[in-house]
C-alpha cells in the first residue's frame, strides 16, 4: 500500500505542478498586462518554485560532451561497454586521446542515480579514461532477471574491472568508490587480490565511505543500530506496483531514501527554496537556475532491491562485518590481509554528517599486509559529505590528491 499511496500522490502533484507552471508563465509573460500589477512577480515566482518542487523526475543525463586537455577542447562520447540486468558499465570516450590511466568510478546504489557524480566524472576526464557503474532502477528490472544482493554487487565490480582490462603498464584499472560502495569495493579488492586476479585495481580511492561505522557514528549510523533488523524489513520495504516492469519485486523505494536525506537537513533545504524564490522575484534567473539544477539531480531517485538494502544495513551498519573479520563473499571469509600491492587512498570530509571521521580511514588499518607507502589518508577541511566529490573543494583540492595518487601508483 505504501508504494501505491506514493504513486497516487505523485500523479496528483504532477498535475498540480503543470498547472502551477502554466500560471507562473502567464504571470511572468511581459505581454500580459496583469503581470505588471502589484504582486504579479511575487505570485508568479511562488508558483514557479512550487512547480519545480512538485514536478516528477526521471533519470537525468550526464550531458558531458566535451572536456579540455592541455588547453584544447576534446569531444567526449558516452558508450555502454557492458550491460547487465541491474547495471551497466559506461565509458566516457575522449575523441583522439589514448594512453591515459583507466579509472572506474564506482557510484553509490543508495537511492540516487550515477549522475549524482557528474561533477566527479567531469573533473577526472582531462587526466583519465573514465568509466562509471551506471546502476539501474530496481523497479524497472523484471522479476525474471533474478535477485541482486551484496555478493552480486561485489561480483559486478569484479566483472566491470575485468571488462575494462589492465592499464598500459600492467595491472588493473584504478578504482574510486564514493560513499556506500566503499565497503563492497574493498571486498572486491580483497577477493581479487586473494585470487591473484590479473585486473586487480592498481589503486583504490575510498571517499566518505562507511568502512567501520563504529568510528564517530552519525545520525545515519545510529538509526541503523537503534532499530532491529526486522524493523527495516517491516517499515522500509515495499512492493513495486503493476505499472512498472519490475512489478512484484520487493524494493527499498528511492522516495523513502530521499525523504530521509531531506529530513536530516530540512532547514537548509527550506532556506535554499526561499533563496530561489527571492532570486526569481529579483529577476536573478541565473542564481535560481543553479538551485534548480541541484534539486533536479537531488530529487531524481531510484529503487534498490530489498535484499541488497537489508544486507547492507545488517553487514555494514549493524554487524560491522568487515572490520570485525566476519565478512563473507559467497560463503568464503573475506581477508583484507590479502591486499598487498593496491595503493589505498582514504578521503574524509571534516564536516561529513553521513560517514563520520575515521570510518573511511579504517580501511588503511584493515590492510595489515599493505606497506605504508601504499597507504594514504587525506582529510578535507571544512568539507561536508556532498563536497567530497562535487563542487569547488573537490575540483581544486581533493581531485589533485586523487590524481597524484594514481600517478604515483601507475
Amino acid at each position: 500500500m505504501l508504494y501505491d499511496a506514493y504513486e497516487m500522490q505523485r500523479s496528483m502533484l504532477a498535475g498540480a505542478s503543470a498547472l502551477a507552471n502554466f500560471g507562473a508563465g502567464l504571470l511572468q509573460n511581459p505581454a500580459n498586462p496583469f503581470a505588471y500589477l502589484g504582486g504579479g512577480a511575487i505570485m508568479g515566482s511562488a508558483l514557479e518554485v512550487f512547480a519545480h518542487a512538485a514536478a516528477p523526475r526521471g533519470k537525468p543525463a550526464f550531458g558531458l560532451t566535451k572536456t579540455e586537455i592541455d588547453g584544447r577542447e576534446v569531444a567526449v562520447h558516452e558508450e555502454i561497454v557492458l550491460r547487465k540486468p541491474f547495471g551497466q558499465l559506461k565509458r566516457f570516450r575522449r575523441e583522439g586521446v589514448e594512453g591515459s590511466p583507466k579509472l572506474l568510478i564506482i557510484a553509490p546504489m543508495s537511492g540516487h542515480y550515477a549522475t549524482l557524480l557528474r561533477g566527479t566524472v567531469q573533473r577526472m576526464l582531462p587526466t583519465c579514461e573514465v568509466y562509471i557503474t551506471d546502476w539501474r532502477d530496481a523497479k524497472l528490472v523484471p522479476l525474471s532477471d533474478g535477485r541482486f544482493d551484496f555478493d552480486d554487487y561485489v561480483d559486478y565490480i569484479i566483472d566491470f574491472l575485468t571488462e575494462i582490462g589492465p592499464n598500459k603498464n600492467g595491472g588493473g584499472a584504478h578504482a574510486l568508490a564514493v560513499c556506500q560502495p566503499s565497503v563492497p569495493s574493498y571486498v572486491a579488492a580483497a577477493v581479487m587480490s586473494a585470487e591473484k586476479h590479473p585486473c586487480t585495481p592498481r589503486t583504490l580511492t575510498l571517499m566518505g565511505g562507511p568502512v567501520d561505522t563504529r568510528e564517530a557514528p552519525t545520525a545515519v549510523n545510529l538509526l541503523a543500530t537503534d532499530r532491529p533488523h526486522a524493523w527495516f524489513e517491516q517499515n522500509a520495504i515495499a512492493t513495486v506496483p503493476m505499472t512498472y516492469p519490475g512489478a512484484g519485486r520487493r524494493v527499498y523505494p528511492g522516495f523513502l531514501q530521499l525523504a530521509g536525506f531531506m529530513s536530516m537537513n530540512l532547514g537548509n533545504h527550506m532556506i535554499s527554496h526561499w533563496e530561489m524564490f527571492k532570486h526569481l522575484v529579483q529577476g536573478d534567473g541565473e542564481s535560481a537556475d543553479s538551485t534548480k539544477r541541484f534539486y533536479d539531480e537531488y530529487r531524481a531517485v531510484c529503487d534498490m532491491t530489498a535484499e541488497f538494502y537489508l544486507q547492507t544495513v545488517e553487514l555494514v551498519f549493524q554487524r560491522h562485518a568487515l572490520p570485525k573479520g566476519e565478512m563473507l563473499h559467497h560463503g568464503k571469509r573475506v581477508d583484507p590481509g590479502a591486499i598487498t600491492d593496491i595503493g589505498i587512498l582514504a578521503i574524509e570530509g571534516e564536516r561529513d554528517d553521513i560517514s563520520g571521521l575515521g570510518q573511511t580511514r579504517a580501511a588503511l588499518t584493515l590492510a595489515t599486509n599493505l606497506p605504508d607507502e601504499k597507504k594514504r589518508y587525506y582529510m578535507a577541511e571544512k568539507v561536508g559529505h556532498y563536497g567530497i566529490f562535487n563542487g569547488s573543494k573537490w575540483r581544486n583540492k581533493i581531485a589533485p590528491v586523487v590524481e597524484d595518487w594514481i600517478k604515483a601508483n601507475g
Side-chain angles (χ1 to χ4, degrees):
M1 294 298 293
L2 174 66
Y3 217 128
D4 292 325
Y6 166 75
E7 285 295 311
M8 185 179 298
Q9 180 197 52
R10 188 177 67 89
S11 298
M12 291 189 294
L13 285 176
S17 173
L19 287 173
N21 194 53
F22 173 78
L26 190 63
L27 289 171
Q28 294 169 347
N29 192 328
N32 179 15
F34 292 102
Y36 300 95
L37 297 178
I42 294 176
M43 181 61 72
S45 299
L47 287 172
E48 186 171 346
V49 170
F50 172 81
H52 181 266
R57 288 169 174 81
K59 181 181 179 180
F62 276 98
L64 300 175
T65 58
K66 60 184 178 181
T67 188
E68 186 175 303
I69 302 176
D70 297 329
R72 65 186 181 93
E73 187 175 286
V74 175
V76 175
H77 305 281
E78 293 183 22
E79 299 176 345
I80 306 301
V81 296
L82 179 62
R83 295 181 186 273
K84 294 174 74 69
F86 290 89
Q88 56 192 13
L89 177 62
K90 178 168 288 189
R91 176 192 180 193
F92 297 87
R93 182 175 60 83
R94 300 164 303 166
E95 196 171 285
V97 180
E98 300 292 340
S100 300
K102 298 177 180 180
L103 173 65
L104 172 62
I105 296 179
I106 305 169
M109 181 183 281
S110 57
H112 284 101
Y113 291 96
T115 49
L116 190 69
L117 304 187
R118 182 184 294 103
T120 318
V121 174
Q122 186 175 34
R123 176 58 182 81
M124 299 305 294
L125 276 174
T127 57
C128 294
E129 182 181 342
V130 179
Y131 297 76
I132 195 168
T133 58
D134 191 13
W135 302 113
R136 196 174 178 193
D137 189 341
K139 67 174 172 284
L140 303 179
V141 183
L143 281 172
S144 58
D145 284 328
R147 291 163 46 90
F148 183 87
D149 60 14
F150 193 90
D151 282 345
D152 293 318
Y153 194 114
V154 174
D155 292 341
Y156 270 49
I157 294 174
I158 296 174
D159 289 346
F160 289 157
L161 286 168
T162 303
E163 179 68 24
I164 294 171
N167 271 291
K168 62 175 182 177
N169 295 325
H174 301 270
L176 185 156
V178 179
C179 189
Q180 168 266 320
S182 292
V183 177
S185 299
Y186 196 87
V187 172
V191 170
M192 295 177 79
S193 295
E195 297 176 350
K196 307 297 182 185
H197 197 293
C199 294
T200 300
R202 296 291 294 270
T203 66
L204 175 60
T205 298
L206 307 175
M207 304 176 66
V211 176
D212 188 350
T213 57
R214 297 172 298 180
E215 300 286 340
T218 64
V220 174
N221 309 147
L222 295 175
L223 172 66
T225 55
D226 288 346
R227 291 168 171 78
H229 187 266
W231 183 91
F232 291 94
E233 190 167 4
Q234 294 169 5
N235 294 278
I237 304 302
T239 302
V240 177
M242 296 301 295
T243 52
Y244 292 102
R249 182 178 294 281
R250 299 283 285 169
V251 298
Y252 175 55
F255 62 82
L256 283 184
Q257 180 79 322
L258 178 62
F261 278 136
M262 295 284 283
S263 63
M264 286 179 60
N265 297 287
L266 185 58
N268 292 337
H269 292 298
M270 294 178 68
I271 291 172
S272 294
H273 283 80
W274 172 245
E275 292 296 326
M276 185 202 305
F277 168 71
K278 290 195 294 184
H279 289 317
L280 289 170
V281 172
Q282 296 164 2
D284 184 2
E286 184 175 345
S287 296
D289 287 343
S290 177
T291 304
K292 286 181 179 180
R293 284 193 297 271
F294 171 79
Y295 281 104
D296 281 340
E297 187 70 55
Y298 194 72
R299 291 196 184 112
V301 292
C302 55
D303 301 346
M304 66 185 88
T305 63
E307 55 271 18
F308 172 75
Y309 170 75
L310 293 172
Q311 287 179 1
T312 299
V313 170
E314 179 187 7
L315 295 173
V316 177
F317 296 99
Q318 294 185 336
R319 284 180 45 200
H320 316 290
L322 181 61
K324 291 171 69 174
E326 300 173 357
M327 180 68 76
L328 302 177
H329 178 248
H330 293 301
K332 185 177 179 180
R333 192 178 75 86
V334 176
D335 180 17
I339 301 175
T340 58
D341 59 357
I342 300 175
I344 299 181
L345 169 62
I347 297 177
E348 297 182 328
E350 183 182 18
R351 298 176 178 174
D352 194 332
D353 58 352
I354 304 295
S355 297
L357 285 175
Q359 294 187 11
T360 311
R361 188 172 189 171
L364 303 178
T365 305
L366 292 175
T368 53
N369 294 322
L370 187 66
D372 289 341
E373 60 268 21
K374 286 286 187 178
K375 301 177 182 180
R376 184 174 180 188
Y377 174 70
Y378 180 78
M379 194 270 285
E381 297 180 353
K382 300 179 181 178
V383 174
H385 187 74
Y386 191 78
I388 297 175
F389 57 90
N390 256 320
S392 60
K393 295 285 181 64
W394 152 249
R395 292 191 300 269
N396 302 324
K397 292 187 176 182
I398 301 173
V401 174
V402 178
E403 290 172 327
D404 289 345
W405 189 245
I406 290 174
K407 185 178 180 181
N409 290 274

